[in-house]
Amino acid sequence: MELLEKIKAAAKQNRKRIVLPEAEEERTLRAADQCISEGLADIILIGNKEVILKNAKEYGMENIGRATIVEPLNNPKKETYVELMLELRKSKGLTREQAEKLIIDPLYLGVMMIKAGDADGEVAGANNATGDVLRPAFQYVKTKPGISVVSGAFLMILQDKHFGENGLMVFADCAVHPNPTAPELAQIAVETGRTARIIAGIEPRIAMLSFSTKGSAKNELVDKVIEATRLAKEMDPSLQIDGELQADAAIVPGIGSKKAPGSPIAGKANVLVFPNLEVGNISYKLVQRMANAEAVGPVLQGMAAPINDLSRGCSISDIVNLVAITACQAQGLE
C-alpha cells in the first residue's frame, strides 16, 4: 500500500527505539523479526530471554538476536525505574512494595523505559486489553503539555479518489474519548491535524462536523462544535479549520459551496473531526465496510510519547505497520 510504504520509508530515515512488551507472543515476535529485517526501528523486546530466543529459533527467525531483550525479573535498571515510579506517584500514595510488583509487569516496564528515556515509543495490545495497555501510559507518560485528552485517529484509504487527499482522509476521535467538551474537542482537532501532517504526510484541511452547517440548526450540541472550532484556531493558527459543517458540506464541493459559501474547507476536507466517540466510531466503521475503505489505526494522539494499542485480533502486518507509525510519531516529537 502506497501510504504505508511512505510511512515505513520515513521510519527508516531516523530509526527510533520501539519497545514491544508482549515479546513472548508469537505474532509480536514475528513482527519484531520483520521490523528488524526492514530496518523500521531499533526493537526492544520485554520478556524472558531464554523463551524469546527459543521461540525465535523454533519459528526460524534470523533477526531477533539483533533486538535488545529486557527481562522483567532480571533487569539491572529495576531499582532506577522503581525510584522514578515512586517519585511520579508519591502524591497518589504508591508504596515501594507496590512499585516493585508493578515494575515486573511488562506493560509498566515498557512505559517506565520510555519515561526514563530508554525507549521512544511502545506498541502493545496483541495479548492485553486496551485498558491494561493505556493505564500505565496515563499514569506515567501522561499527555503532552497543553493537552489533557487522548484520542484515536484512523487513516482512511478510500477507493474513490475524489474524496480527501486523493482518497486519503483522517477521522477522529473514533477510539477513545466518549463525549469531549468544547476545549477537549479543540485539542482533538489540533492533534489530528498534527497526525495528518506527521503520519499521513498531508496538509490538513479540517472539518468540524455537526448536524448543522453555519447556523442551519440551533442546539447546544452545535454550540459545542462552534466553540471547539474557535478554540482550535487559537491553539494552532497554522491549521486550516472550519466548522460547524455537515458531512456532505465538508466533503462534496457542490454542496459545500452552496451550504458554506466562502469556506476554505467546505467540500475539500481531508480531516473529519466528529463531535463525539459514538458518531466517530460508527462513521469510520460504516465507511470501512460499505465503501470498502482501508482503516489504518487507531493512532493514539495526545500522549507525551507515542504509545499505541493493538486489537487482540491483530495480524503480524498490523503490528509491523503500527511500529512504523509509532516511530514516525516519535520523530514528530523531536
Side-chain angles (χ1 to χ4, degrees):
M1 186 185 302
E2 184 180 357
L3 172 63
L4 290 172
E5 290 308 311
K6 288 180 180 178
I7 291 171
K8 287 182 177 183
K12 294 176 186 179
Q13 289 177 4
N14 181 11
R15 288 214 311 245
K16 294 299 176 184
R17 300 164 299 171
I18 305 301
V19 60
L20 303 178
E22 300 163 320
E24 295 177 26
E25 197 270 340
E26 181 177 351
R27 290 166 298 169
T28 300
L29 196 58
R30 290 188 182 280
D33 187 72
Q34 185 175 332
C35 288
I36 296 167
S37 175
E38 295 185 30
L40 299 179
D42 293 329
I43 297 296
I44 302 169
L45 301 173
I46 296 181
N48 182 284
K49 185 173 184 178
E50 183 178 343
V51 170
I52 291 171
L53 294 179
K54 176 179 176 292
N55 289 346
K57 183 177 180 180
E58 180 182 331
Y59 302 148
M61 298 176 188
E62 300 179 354
N63 302 295
I64 294 301
R66 292 156 55 192
T68 299
I69 300 176
V70 177
E71 295 188 290
L73 295 175
N74 186 29
N75 175 17
K77 298 196 73 172
K78 176 183 176 181
E79 184 61 26
T80 300
Y81 296 150
V82 166
E83 290 294 336
L84 183 56
M85 292 176 83
L86 291 171
E87 178 185 343
L88 293 172
R89 298 288 287 180
K90 59 185 176 184
S91 65
K92 301 297 183 181
L94 182 73
T95 67
R96 174 170 288 276
E97 182 182 6
Q98 290 170 331
E100 288 177 346
K101 288 181 179 178
L102 289 174
I103 201 60
I104 62 174
D105 180 333
L107 295 175
Y108 277 88
L109 177 54
V111 162
M112 294 314 299
M113 291 183 69
I114 294 170
K115 190 66 180 178
D118 296 328
D120 300 306
E122 176 187 286
V123 173
N127 230 18
N128 288 278
T130 295
D132 294 332
V133 173
L134 297 185
R135 191 175 303 109
F138 289 154
Q139 290 176 350
Y140 293 98
V141 172
K142 301 185 179 180
T143 54
K144 295 178 184 177
I147 300 294
S148 63
V149 62
V150 173
S151 57
F154 278 88
L155 309 180
M156 303 298 295
I157 302 166
L158 308 171
Q159 294 188 6
D160 190 333
K161 304 305 180 184
H162 292 96
F163 294 113
E165 201 75 21
N166 195 32
L168 173 61
M169 302 190 75
V170 185
F171 288 10
D173 175 15
C174 303
V176 181
H177 200 299
N179 191 23
T181 63
E184 289 171 338
L185 191 59
Q187 294 176 32
I188 291 170
V190 169
E191 286 299 300
T192 308
R194 292 172 181 166
T195 294
R197 284 173 173 163
I198 294 167
I199 307 301
I202 60 177
E203 185 57 29
R205 299 186 297 274
I206 304 171
M208 305 291 285
L209 296 186
S210 178
F211 58 84
S212 169
T213 296
K214 298 299 183 179
S216 65
K218 303 294 183 183
N219 187 277
E220 62 183 12
L221 297 176
V222 177
D223 294 340
K224 181 179 85 167
V225 177
I226 293 171
E227 176 66 3
T229 303
R230 183 186 68 80
L231 292 171
K233 289 178 178 178
E234 289 181 356
M235 287 180 65
D236 190 345
S238 74
L239 288 174
Q240 298 181 70
I241 183 168
D242 199 14
E244 85 285 15
L245 296 170
Q246 291 165 287
D248 56 355
I251 63 174
V252 181
I255 297 175
S257 63
K258 289 179 181 178
K259 289 189 173 184
S263 169
I265 301 300
K268 299 179 289 187
N270 55 20
V271 174
L272 302 183
V273 175
F274 300 96
N276 59 46
L277 179 58
E278 185 174 37
V279 177
N281 190 268
I282 291 170
S283 297
Y284 106 78
K285 288 182 182 294
L286 284 175
V287 172
Q288 180 186 31
R289 301 301 178 182
M290 297 178 73
N292 198 27
E294 183 79 17
V296 179
V299 178
L300 292 188
Q301 311 174 138
M303 298 297 299
I307 295 173
N308 280 305
D309 176 48
L310 294 155
S311 162
R312 277 176 282 181
C314 65
S315 65
I316 295 167
S317 63
D318 289 335
I319 303 173
V320 172
N321 293 339
L322 201 52
V323 166
I325 288 170
T326 305
C328 289
Q329 284 180 294
Q331 293 172 4
L333 292 174
E334 293 180 338

